[in-house]
Amino acid sequence: MYATSAKFLGKFVDKHLIFKYGFNLSPMYRRSTGKVFYVSKDLATIKVKIPLSIKNRNYVGSLFGGSMSSATDPIFMIQLINILGDDYVVWDKEATIRFKRPARETAYATFHFTEEEIEQIKRDVSDKNEIDVTKELNITNKDKTLIFAKLTKTVYVANKSFFKEKRKNKKRVKNRSK
């Protein structure tokens, strides 16, 4: 539903605006209490804030770790889907969040891909058909002087035609074993 809506809206509105407002209006993302507040035109940089509020304050008064995790969870995957385009399959594969200190104020995260990283991903997928991309980021305070958590995210990226053929072959093998 979200991808279809974004594709339709893309005929009328810039992609970076669809990304920003689509996330912020989406019920699944709103529940995380995160807010996308900046998206570069090329989608290479996305900034998220997670305000400390009554909705996400934990038992000891700091930002609930689940809010930090869920507010940062979908960004890298959806960012790559939109940057790479329709010739690729992109899936979240793994996430690790390591909490460093309690967040007693609004938390921030910046998601960024360089042009070189995107070109390397395309080359690696061209050579190997499928790869895992691992990205790290810090969840910090506004001026980045305190690190509340470190997120490590692994995203699977594959050539779409390779991925479809791989799935067909798995289904054939599964049907033979029945």
Side-chain angles (χ1 to χ4, degrees):
M1 175 181 103
Y2 294 112
T4 305
S5 299
K7 195 167 251 176
F8 173 75
L9 288 171
K11 297 175 185 177
F12 311 104
V13 181
D14 286 345
K15 203 177 215 181
H16 75 286
L17 294 175
I18 295 168
F19 194 104
K20 179 180 176 180
Y21 294 108
F23 259 95
N24 291 332
L25 292 171
S26 162
M28 62 96 186
Y29 193 70
R30 288 178 65 163
R31 285 189 290 269
S32 77
T33 69
K35 188 143 184 100
V36 175
F37 71 94
Y38 174 81
V39 180
S40 63
K41 279 197 175 260
D42 63 359
L43 302 175
T45 303
I46 295 165
K47 295 182 179 182
V48 171
K49 69 179 175 180
I50 312 152
L52 179 62
S53 72
I54 192 73
K55 292 180 181 179
N56 62 14
R57 193 178 306 260
N58 66 18
Y59 187 78
V60 294
S62 63
L63 187 60
F64 174 56
S67 287
M68 283 191 264
S69 182
S70 61
T72 56
D73 179 63
I75 306 293
F76 278 133
M77 181 186 87
I78 298 172
Q79 187 178 18
L80 268 181
I81 287 170
N82 284 279
I83 291 171
L84 294 174
D86 292 336
D87 294 335
Y88 297 87
V89 171
V90 181
W91 285 103
D92 274 336
K93 190 168 183 178
E94 183 178 359
T96 305
I97 191 164
R98 184 171 176 83
F99 299 104
K100 301 274 190 179
R101 68 168 20 108
R104 300 192 189 285
E105 60 191 280
T106 298
Y108 294 84
T110 300
F111 301 80
H112 182 72
F113 282 99
T114 64
E115 284 183 40
E116 293 79 21
E117 285 175 304
I118 297 301
E119 290 308 314
Q120 187 65 52
I121 289 168
K122 289 178 179 179
R123 279 193 300 276
D124 289 348
V125 170
S126 177
D127 292 346
K128 302 173 189 168
N129 289 317
E130 62 183 351
I131 62 168
D132 289 340
V133 176
T134 301
K135 291 286 285 182
E136 290 185 348
L137 69 81
N138 290 325
I139 300 172
T140 68
N141 64 347
K142 188 171 187 155
D143 60 7
K144 298 183 177 159
T145 57
L146 297 176
I147 297 173
F148 303 129
K150 182 180 214 68
L151 174 73
T152 304
K153 189 77 177 191
T154 302
V155 180
Y156 170 83
V157 181
N159 173 294
K160 189 175 245 175
S161 57
F162 169 83
F163 184 79
K164 285 181 178 180
E165 190 61 35
K166 183 178 172 180
R167 289 188 52 120
K168 269 189 215 175
N169 290 338
K170 280 187 178 181
K171 285 181 183 178
R172 283 187 206 128
V173 169
K174 188 176 178 182
N175 287 338
R176 285 184 197 152
S177 64
K178 286 184 179 182

